[in-house]
């Protein structure tokens, strides 16, 4: 298979703009960069977001983990990753005023359209965040590019900041990751409201009595004649939807009881985040 050509040209930039890259909001937003456009740092992912309902183009583990936290927040209403700093003339001028070399394609020499990892809407206000590993924070070239970014957003009166991997609460992130893919669980509609309600009530009683999660889920599967694993998937679904509450700051271990288990919404409703 032929390798994808990633060299940047002015014609390619114009084409990306015409495609709508970096434009739109929520489900209609189109990131400036897609996974296939650049070499990824770590494991690139395209997870479907709870908040936007679309697949996110996440270039590294830290971007994925930060996106989990944004998705979990009740205050966040939009997440736009790989957001372009356009028009490009602005970042070129900022770099010139700072005496910094603007990032360029190493092969063509064409100035690269700079991006901010995340532009987030929270409580009807936007903030911009760059996420990077701690290991990059002492690199002078990286810091120089951060300064271009900072000034770009400052001129727009948008709060900008840097998130490093050590800033992220690992236990919370891993718990969100564990429940994340079950947010949209097809079993909810397939099984029907009567079965879901019975499962919900039966499982909640067992968990509230301190029974280990996996044991309680297995008992419900057997009692209701469900395929093994169905109740555990729905436990994750209820937690993801925040219908049920557990201590998300301590690692959820299925062989142990659910810590600080609580039913938030006693009657199940199938709805999107913020609905």
């Amino acid at each position: 298979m032929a390798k994808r050509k990633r060299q940047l040209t002015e014609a390619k930039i114009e084409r990306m703009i015409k495609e709508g890259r970096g434009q739109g909001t929520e489900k209609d937003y189109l990131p400036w960069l897609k996974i296939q456009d650049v070499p990824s740092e770590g494991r690139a992912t395209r997870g479907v977001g709870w908040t936007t309902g679309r697949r996110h183009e996440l270039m590294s583990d830290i971007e994925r983990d930060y996106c989990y936290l944004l998705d979990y927040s009740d205050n966040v209403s939009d997440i736009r990753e790989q957001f372009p700093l356009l028009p490009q003339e602005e970042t070129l001028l900022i770099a010139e005023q700072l005496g910094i070399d603007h990032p360029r394609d190493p092969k063509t020499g064409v100035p690269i359209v700079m991006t901010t990892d995340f532009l987030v809407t929270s409580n009807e206000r936007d903030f911009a965040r760059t996420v990077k590993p701690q290991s990059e924070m002492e690199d002078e070239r990286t810091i120089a590019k951060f300064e271009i970014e900072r000034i770009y957003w400052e001129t727009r009166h948008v709060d900008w900041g840097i998130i490093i991997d050590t800033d992220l609460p690992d236990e919370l992130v891993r718990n969100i990751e564990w429940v994340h893919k079950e947010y949209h669980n097809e079993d909810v509609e397939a099984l029907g409201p009567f079965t879901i309600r019975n499962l919900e009530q039966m499982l909640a009683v067992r968990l509230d009595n301190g029974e280990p999660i996996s044991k309680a889920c297995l008992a419900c599967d057997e009692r209701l004649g469900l395929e093994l694993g169905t109740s555990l998937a729905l436990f994750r679904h209820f937690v993801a939807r925040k219908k049920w509450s557990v201590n998300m700051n301590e690692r959820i271990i299925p062989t142990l009881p659910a810590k600080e288990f609580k039913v938030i919404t006693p009657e199940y409703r199938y709805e999107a985040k913020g609905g």
Side-chain angles (χ1 to χ4, degrees):
M1 182 179 292
K3 291 184 178 179
R4 179 180 298 272
K5 293 183 179 179
R6 294 194 175 102
Q7 291 93 333
L8 186 68
T9 64
E10 292 180 0
K12 184 175 181 180
I13 292 174
E14 288 300 319
R15 185 168 66 251
M16 292 170 73
I17 292 174
K18 289 180 181 178
E19 288 175 0
R21 300 278 192 108
Q23 300 171 48
T25 58
E26 299 174 358
K27 195 169 185 176
D28 296 325
Y29 172 73
L30 189 62
W32 179 258
L33 296 175
K34 297 184 178 181
I35 287 174
Q36 64 266 27
D37 294 328
V38 295
S40 64
E41 301 172 1
R43 293 180 295 276
T45 54
R46 287 191 180 96
V48 177
W50 300 350
T51 307
T52 63
R54 64 173 176 82
R55 292 190 178 277
H56 288 281
E57 302 285 332
L58 306 170
M59 305 298 177
S60 65
D61 290 351
I62 186 175
E63 286 189 19
R64 176 204 62 204
D65 289 353
Y66 185 59
C67 195
Y68 282 147
L69 293 173
L70 295 174
D71 247 355
Y72 192 69
S73 172
D74 293 328
N75 298 323
V76 171
S77 58
D78 197 9
I79 303 169
R80 286 171 280 178
E81 75 279 13
Q82 322 308 336
F83 191 87
L85 309 188
L86 292 171
Q88 194 179 43
E89 290 76 15
E90 287 192 33
T91 57
L92 287 166
L93 179 59
I94 293 170
E96 181 181 355
Q97 291 173 338
L98 293 173
I100 296 171
D101 290 333
H102 192 282
R104 294 177 180 272
D105 185 281
K107 293 186 177 180
T108 65
V110 172
I112 292 172
V113 174
M114 297 183 65
T115 59
T116 289
D117 295 326
F118 292 95
L119 180 61
V120 181
T121 304
S122 178
N123 294 323
E124 300 183 357
R125 296 188 63 180
D126 290 340
F127 66 87
R129 291 294 181 268
T130 289
V131 295
K132 289 290 182 286
Q134 174 69 46
S135 58
E136 294 187 18
M137 297 308 298
E138 295 182 3
D139 181 76
E140 291 185 6
R141 178 59 180 159
T142 298
I143 299 301
K145 289 188 287 187
F146 286 165
E147 186 63 7
I148 298 175
E149 234 181 305
R150 184 190 67 78
I151 294 175
Y152 176 91
W153 288 113
E154 186 179 71
T155 61
R156 285 164 170 72
H157 305 289
V158 172
D159 180 73
W160 173 84
I162 301 171
I163 302 292
I164 58 176
D165 46 6
T166 54
D167 291 330
L168 304 180
D170 188 65
E171 296 295 318
L172 175 58
V173 169
R174 299 283 73 83
N175 284 336
I176 298 171
E177 180 178 42
W178 188 65
V179 304
H180 196 274
K181 73 174 184 178
E182 297 297 345
Y183 186 89
H184 300 288
N185 186 301
E186 296 178 356
D187 286 340
V188 173
E189 292 185 339
L191 293 174
F194 180 76
T195 300
I196 294 296
R197 191 174 297 113
N198 282 345
L199 169 61
E200 176 191 6
Q201 293 173 352
M202 188 183 305
L203 185 54
V205 169
R206 288 177 173 273
L207 295 173
D208 194 46
N209 287 336
E211 193 169 334
I213 298 169
S214 56
K215 182 179 179 181
C217 289
L218 178 60
C220 289
D221 285 342
E222 293 176 344
R223 178 75 179 272
L224 297 174
L226 302 175
E227 181 181 351
L228 294 182
T230 299
S231 295
L232 182 60
L234 287 170
F235 167 79
R236 293 158 69 183
H237 173 74
F238 294 149
V239 172
R241 291 273 177 165
K242 298 184 180 178
K243 174 178 174 51
W244 288 354
S245 173
V246 298
N247 186 345
M248 292 292 283
N249 293 309
E250 290 189 38
R251 193 66 174 266
I252 300 172
I253 301 175
T255 55
L256 297 178
K259 296 181 179 180
E260 300 177 29
F261 174 79
K262 183 178 180 181
V263 174
I264 303 300
T265 309
E267 184 175 346
Y268 185 78
R269 293 179 298 165
Y270 186 74
E271 58 188 21
K273 178 180 176 181

